[in-house]
Amino acid sequence: MDEIFKQQVWEITKLVPKGRVTSYGAIAKAVGYPNHSRHVGKAMGGCPEGVPAHRVISSSGSLSVPEFQIKLENEGIIIENFKVKNFKKLFWDPLLEL
DNA sequence: GCCCTGACTTTTT
DNA sequence: GAAAAAGCCAGGG
C-alpha cells in the first residue's frame, strides 16, 4: 500500500468525532478504495500518535482489537461483549463530511 | 507470476 | 443474530 493511502486513512480517522465510531469499509470508500477495507486495518497497525484508531471498528460494530474497549468507554461509548452498543446511532460516515 | 496473508465485508446457513 | 464461506485487492516471499 502507498504511504499516501495510509496518510489519507489517518486523516479520515482523525476526523471522527469524539464519542462516535466508523468502519474500515467506510474509510476505505472515503479514501477512494471501496474494497480495500483490509488495508485500512493494516494502515492502522502503523498509525502514529494522535490517531484515534480505537474509533475504527468492523461494520458489524464488533471490536477488532478488544483492548480499545477501555478507550471507547472512556469516550462515552458503551461496549458490550466486545461490541459497540448503539452502534447504528454512534456510527459516523466519513463520506457525510466530505 | 503464483501463493499466502491480512485491525474486513457481504451473503448464506 | 451468530457462525461459516466466498469475495475482495495489494504486498511480500
Side-chain angles (χ1 to χ4, degrees):
Chain A
M1 66 184 67
D2 295 328
E3 289 297 319
I4 306 301
F5 174 74
K6 290 187 198 170
Q7 296 291 339
Q8 292 186 101
V9 170
W10 297 335
E11 288 303 310
I12 299 295
T13 306
K14 281 191 284 190
L15 292 179
V16 180
K18 182 185 176 184
R20 296 293 206 75
V21 292
T22 190
S23 69
Y24 298 92
I27 293 177
K29 279 189 206 166
V31 296
Y33 291 79
N35 20 357
H36 292 80
S37 47
R38 298 177 156 93
H39 296 119
V40 174
K42 269 196 181 162
M44 290 321 220
C47 70
E49 293 296 322
V51 179
H54 53 278
R55 293 180 189 154
V56 183
I57 59 184
S58 65
S59 61
S60 314
S62 57
L63 302 182
S64 310
V65 181
E67 321 295 299
F68 289 162
Q69 174 174 348
I70 303 163
K71 285 187 163 187
L72 290 171
E73 287 178 332
N74 201 350
E75 308 233 332
I77 299 173
I78 308 302
I79 308 300
E80 187 150 298
N81 195 15
F82 294 97
K83 289 194 176 77
V84 177
K85 201 169 185 174
N86 300 330
F87 173 66
K88 287 183 181 175
K89 281 186 78 173
L90 295 177
F91 182 77
W92 178 83
D93 191 346
L95 296 174
L96 297 178
E97 300 293 317
L98 303 176

